[in-house]
Amino acid sequence: MMHEEEELHSSHQHHDVELQTFSRSGATLRNNSFDENSLLADMEMGEPDIGDVDSDSKSAQSKLKRGAGVQLSLMQRLRNFSRSIAKRIDVFSSKGSRYHSRTIDLNNNGGGTAPAKITTTSYPANVTRNQKYNFLTFFPVVLYNQFKFFFNLYFLIVALSQFIPALQVGFLFTYIAPLAFVLTVTMMKEAWDDYKRWRRDVEVNSQSFQQLTDEGLVTVPSSAIKVGHLIVVNTNQRVPADMVLLRTTEKSGASFIRTDQLDGETDWKLRRAVAVTQKLPSDAALLSFKASFYAEKPKKDIYSFVGNCMTVDEANRSQVEPLSAENTLWANTVVASGTVVGLTIYTGPESRAAMNTSSPQTKVGLLDMEINQLSKVLFGLLLVLSFIMVVIKGFKGIWPIYYFRFVLLFSSIIPISLRVNLDMAKTVYSLFIMRDKHIPDTVVRTSTIPEELGRIEYLLSDKTGTLTQNDMVFKKLHIGTISFSKDTLEDIREYLHATGTSGTTTAVTEPSPMRGYRQASTRNKTAWRVHEVVMALALCHNVSPVIDDQTQEISYQASSPDEVALVKFTESVGVTLVGRSVSTITLRLPHNQIEEFEVLQIFPFSSERKRMGIILKHTSTGQIIFYMKGADSVMARIAMPSDWLDEECGNMAREGLRTLVFGCKRLSERHYQEFVQELTRAKSSIYDREEKVAAVLQSIETDLELLALTGVEDKLQDNVKDTLETLRNAGIKVWMLTGDKIETATCIAVSSKLVSRTQGIFTLLVHTKEEAWKELNDFADKGDSCLIIDGGSLQLCLDNCPDLFVSLACKAPAVVCCRCSPQQKAEIVTLLKKNGKRTCAIGDGGNDVSMIQAAHVGIGIVGKEGKQASLAADFSITQFSHLTRLILWHGRNSYKRSARLSHFVIHRGLIISFIQAVFSAMFYFAAIAIYNGWLMVGYATCYTMAPVFSLVLDEDVTEDIAFRYPELYQQLQKGRELSYRTFLLWVMQSIYQGGVIMLLAIFLFESSLINIVAITFTTLILSELLNVAFEIHKWNRWIVLSEVLTFFLYFASMFVLRSYFDITFIFTWDFMWKVAVLTVVSCLPVYLASYIKQKYDPPSYTKLSL
């Protein structure tokens, strides 16, 4: 394996050298002549070896000297060279992979709708398919997914056992009907969901697009697009496949795209057309243009792309233009400006969108796991009860047959309908949440865990955009000697007016960084310093102005609200950004002077670099200047030493401001040209392109002149303080995980009241394992103190003493983790889960997705950072303050209702099983079913389902009490609603009611035992209706309607099911008063016991409601 890696590295390096040599040799080869027959023979033999390029060049020159008369097609050499690169890369780097790099010849389109010539045709169709099943796999797959669970398999075995005569204990459909009902509901749900997926797929795959061919524009469906097709995409149209942007109608040569459906970010992204194709006179010229495009093999990373465009100009000179992600249009993005023409490079499952689409891990709630445990207990109870019946009967005859028959008789103990009822209830809870007018635009994306909102112990929150608005407002500007704030903006305007009246321009004429000071010696030095700083703020960014056609008002579009805040600040002092294209930036100065700068290079911000840079050329003076801004930790190493930067950064951070450091460096023309050559060489590299580009950038990012430090404020979201206080009173501990500095995070923690005034603050900053142990032990001796820790110290604790760290951190009232990476956020969540804590993570950005998906409950906020967190979360909200209602109200109701619904469904199966047990015991332990056929089916469905399910509409407390006394939530965290204690109480109630109904019926109706079925079944139905009524806290019309309709439905069914009910006997007073006595004796003691308990040990919420 090591040998292969070394060979791959050597091969790729060889490719880079050959590519550069080949490019430089274009001018030499343009007039060479070769033997055409020899060239064709070489082509028939296959692709030339990459290692023979130099020898081919020397051979070309020798043949030129010998006067050969046939000219070699340099374009063909380019194609063969590109294919050889792709072939070599695939041989080494694609071993065991189904993805391959590719080279596409643009001028070999061939007309019609055929794609351009490519190195291989084994590319997937451009078809979107999100269906889980097809006609052949639907039934097998659905049935497998159902019967892989033990209890469904158990009921299948029970149903099949009824085909064996010796095991028959009732009508066959009595056992098949409940299972068939569950399977039917499941299949209908799966079929409907898959049908909707199929409809969406058809809609996407049938969308029409225009393909550029020799016959003109041809309309093709999305599913017919292939690698190599030239596709025209209009404004506001979805991009159907991954493409390289060849041309755009925008004069700037670049178009904006919207990527919110790909990465969740709402800001527009700028994409640049390939320069050589953008210069063509028309789109049709692409069909005859000689170009070869190399694209790396497909991968998930949407932020990087390695490719090359290799062309030959009119003078037969070879040119190589490197391609990056800014030259691409990924599938499912939307063109926001202009009409573009793209070359398709990846289709279908090889597109970035498809490769990043994965089914998230299904989350299972704690309540489901508790029910699973109780189901195992019920199964054990079933086996024990059946064994007791056999023991009492005596091991006579074929007792194993009798044992199995008893198991079948008591099979109602296992509530097969419990999962269906809970799934339906969770759907209802989800609808309640999404229709709540107090939390508008809330979306439930995972409907299987709404009850988990009622069990949260730890809330892990991002800071920026979650606790804060991500709405940046300029607050401070420090230029080394003077600090400006919003209150001193007029001073800045005066300084700018003073420099503007002198008639000089912004760019100095000498490359020395100190030129500005020497020039300012006769003027106000401070004014020129302010001038230079404001110009840096107005130029170093990726902001694009958008001018309203009607009002002529300027708005700004950018990926970072920090940049918009600073550009708005420069506008407020008189330096306005009025124009931005790919190649130029235009500013309007205080005296309406227009300054234009040529954009030479842009180095975008990335989370790894933590800085962005731009190289500009002043169109009037020709001065080249390199501006850079970034985090203070990075810029302190790049800029010249300063005695004020660290101190001022700390001061601003303590005020809760986000800081950016600005620097600049003036470049000579020679220095810049040398840099461009090195950068072009690095960008043209196929292997390790990113590392080589980074190395070239580092060569210029040295000795920057430190210009200024800016501070912007990120406002707290509405009602954040009240929300955090309410959650704290509810027993939920809040941890803030952020990437900001310790000072900024600490300030936000205090201002948001995450840390109360009475609590201390313990800051943990360590560099070694020993220091970590010592500091943690010191923290253990602290009392009521908030723990604040940075990313490096956190990693030391996670690597060396995770258990000690989490145990001490959990004792703290609050924890703030600063300089925290996305991976560390997820690790903290995982560590808490391993220690048995119920976690909820909330964030608004892509860096919060890992944390959100790792938590038991993930909540995403739709914010200015986009929808990525919202789309990945289980619940999506629009404001942090909505958490209060989501957790304290909907979480409480979902958990309490689900627990009580589970109790009743379990009780419904237990009581009828105990009635069956008493009946068998009273009649010589005969394994004969007392209730058969439609009675069993009706009992599980229409006779009891509506009243029991109506419990999902009940409320044990009012909204006012739930919010006024958040301490009530602490009772839910203990999980007592579905504990073994409550389960045992319901088992005892079922034993009592089942035994009383059967024993008292036999005693009272001794002379009418022929009607024992009608007597006991009627009492059973009435008892269940009363049991539900006793449990209701707040009646509403739907609950009343379910009780009344169920009663009349049962009464009406007596006239239909005459084989079970003797109508003449039922309408006698003897039947009525005795059934009434049975019902009262069955229910009254249960009600009295509940009343006494409520009287002497009332729940906490009943005390508050008085």
Side-chain angles (χ1 to χ4, degrees), residues 540-542 563 602-614 626-639 659-663 690-691 693-702 704:
C540 186
H541 53 71
N542 275 310
E563 292 190 325
I602 294 181
F603 314 116
F605 176 87
S606 68
S607 56
E608 293 80 14
R609 286 170 45 82
K610 295 184 179 180
R611 58 191 183 274
M612 72 86 59
I614 186 170
F626 171 42
Y627 287 114
M628 174 164 281
K629 67 179 179 183
D632 59 289
S633 58
V634 175
M635 295 296 291
R637 300 193 304 265
I638 296 175
T659 57
L660 275 177
V661 179
F662 283 77
E690 293 182 1
E691 290 79 0
V693 170
V696 174
L697 293 181
Q698 287 179 2
S699 67
I700 196 176
E701 294 172 347
T702 57
L704 268 69

Side-chain angles (χ1 to χ4, degrees), residues 716-787:
L716 289 176
Q717 287 209 16
D718 296 336
N719 300 319
V720 162
K721 297 179 183 180
D722 295 339
T723 301
L724 289 176
E725 185 176 1
T726 300
L727 294 177
R728 184 164 53 247
N729 293 336
I732 299 174
K733 292 188 175 182
V734 182
W735 290 19
M736 184 170 73
L737 313 181
T738 177
D740 274 346
K741 296 183 291 295
I742 284 184
E743 295 85 357
T744 305
T746 303
C747 180
I748 294 296
V750 173
S751 63
S752 65
K753 292 187 178 180
L754 177 63
V755 180
S756 66
R757 294 182 178 179
T758 59
Q759 295 171 349
I761 294 179
F762 184 90
T763 304
L764 197 154
L765 299 174
V766 295
H767 301 90
T768 64
K769 175 182 177 182
E770 292 72 19
E771 290 180 359
W773 281 94
K774 180 180 179 302
E775 289 295 316
L776 286 175
N777 289 326
D778 291 343
F779 177 66
D781 298 331
K782 300 291 181 181
D784 191 23
S785 296
C786 170
L787 175 63

Side-chain angles (χ1 to χ4, degrees), residues 314-355:
E314 295 178 355
N316 210 25
R317 290 174 301 191
S318 64
Q319 295 180 350
V320 178
E321 181 177 348
L323 304 178
S324 63
E326 67 176 6
N327 303 115
T328 61
L329 301 170
W330 299 140
N332 287 346
T333 59
V334 177
V335 176
S337 65
T339 297
V340 303
V341 180
L343 174 66
T344 306
I345 54 175
Y346 306 122
T347 54
E350 290 187 344
S351 67
R352 292 294 202 271
M355 296 183 73

Side-chain angles (χ1 to χ4, degrees), residues 302-502:
I302 63 176
Y303 302 107
S304 67
F305 171 72
V306 176
N308 283 325
C309 172
M310 291 162 281
T311 61
V312 177
D313 60 14
E314 295 178 355
N316 210 25
R317 290 174 301 191
S318 64
Q319 295 180 350
V320 178
E321 181 177 348
L323 304 178
S324 63
E326 67 176 6
N327 303 115
T328 61
L329 301 170
W330 299 140
N332 287 346
T333 59
V334 177
V335 176
S337 65
T339 297
V340 303
V341 180
L343 174 66
T344 306
I345 54 175
Y346 306 122
T347 54
E350 290 187 344
S351 67
R352 292 294 202 271
M355 296 183 73
N356 281 278
T357 302
S358 58
S359 300
Q361 184 179 1
T362 302
K363 293 184 179 181
V364 179
L366 180 59
L367 183 112
D368 290 325
M369 292 187 285
E370 291 172 342
I371 288 176
N372 186 53
Q373 293 297 324
L374 293 180
S375 297
K376 294 177 181 179
V377 174
L378 290 173
F379 182 69
L381 179 62
L382 168 64
L383 298 181
V384 170
L385 182 60
S386 301
F387 184 74
I388 291 175
M389 298 297 290
V390 172
V391 170
I392 298 178
K393 178 181 176 65
F395 294 95
K396 300 177 182 178
I398 311 177
W399 67 267
I401 297 295
Y402 287 110
Y403 177 76
F404 197 81
R405 286 173 63 89
F406 280 123
V407 169
L408 296 176
L409 281 176
F410 305 149
S411 61
S412 296
I413 290 178
I414 308 295
I416 188 174
S417 61
L418 177 57
R419 185 169 297 277
V420 175
N421 278 273
L422 282 178
D423 288 344
M424 294 170 59
K426 291 176 181 180
T427 301
V428 173
Y429 306 151
S430 300
L431 291 175
F432 287 163
I433 293 173
M434 290 189 288
R435 294 181 179 180
D436 191 337
K437 296 180 180 179
H438 296 91
I439 47 175
D441 300 322
T442 299
V443 179
V444 179
R445 304 192 188 279
T446 305
S447 61
T448 58
I449 57 171
E451 75 284 348
E452 283 296 291
L453 292 168
R455 309 284 293 275
I456 295 171
E457 297 174 305
Y458 286 82
L459 176 68
L460 299 101
S461 173
D462 178 38
K463 181 183 75 68
T464 304
T466 304
L467 297 177
T468 61
Q469 296 181 14
N470 203 13
D471 183 10
M472 306 300 175
V473 178
F474 169 82
K475 286 294 184 179
K476 280 194 174 182
L477 172 67
H478 198 285
I479 62 174
T481 57
I482 301 178
S483 179
F484 297 96
S485 65
K486 293 188 68 176
D487 298 331
T488 57
L489 292 183
E490 190 60 37
D491 295 339
I492 299 178
R493 295 189 189 99
E494 290 179 0
Y495 286 134
L496 293 176
H497 276 275
T499 56
T501 56
S502 65

Side-chain angles (χ1 to χ4, degrees), residues 576-587:
T576 306
L577 176 67
V578 295
R580 178 73 181 256
S581 67
V582 175
S583 57
T584 61
I585 294 179
T586 305
L587 300 179

Side-chain angles (χ1 to χ4, degrees), residues 162 168-171 174-175 382 385-386 388-390 402-413 907-933 935-936 939 990-999 1001-1002 1012-1013 1016-1017 1020:
Q162 296 305 290
Q168 289 182 355
V169 293
F171 295 113
T174 302
Y175 294 90
L382 168 64
L385 182 60
S386 301
I388 291 175
M389 298 297 290
V390 172
Y402 287 110
Y403 177 76
F404 197 81
R405 286 173 63 89
F406 280 123
V407 169
L408 296 176
L409 281 176
F410 305 149
S411 61
S412 296
I413 290 178
H907 164 74
R908 188 173 62 187
L910 284 172
I911 188 173
I912 197 171
S913 296
F914 284 122
I915 288 176
Q916 175 66 59
V918 174
F919 173 79
S920 297
M922 295 298 294
F923 291 93
Y924 310 102
F925 297 95
I928 301 174
I930 182 174
Y931 307 128
N932 280 315
L935 291 185
M936 289 297 294
Y939 178 72
S990 301
I991 293 175
Y992 168 76
Q993 290 187 318
V996 164
I997 289 174
M998 180 53 65
L999 291 174
I1002 294 175
I1012 192 68
V1013 171
T1016 56
F1017 195 77
L1020 174 62

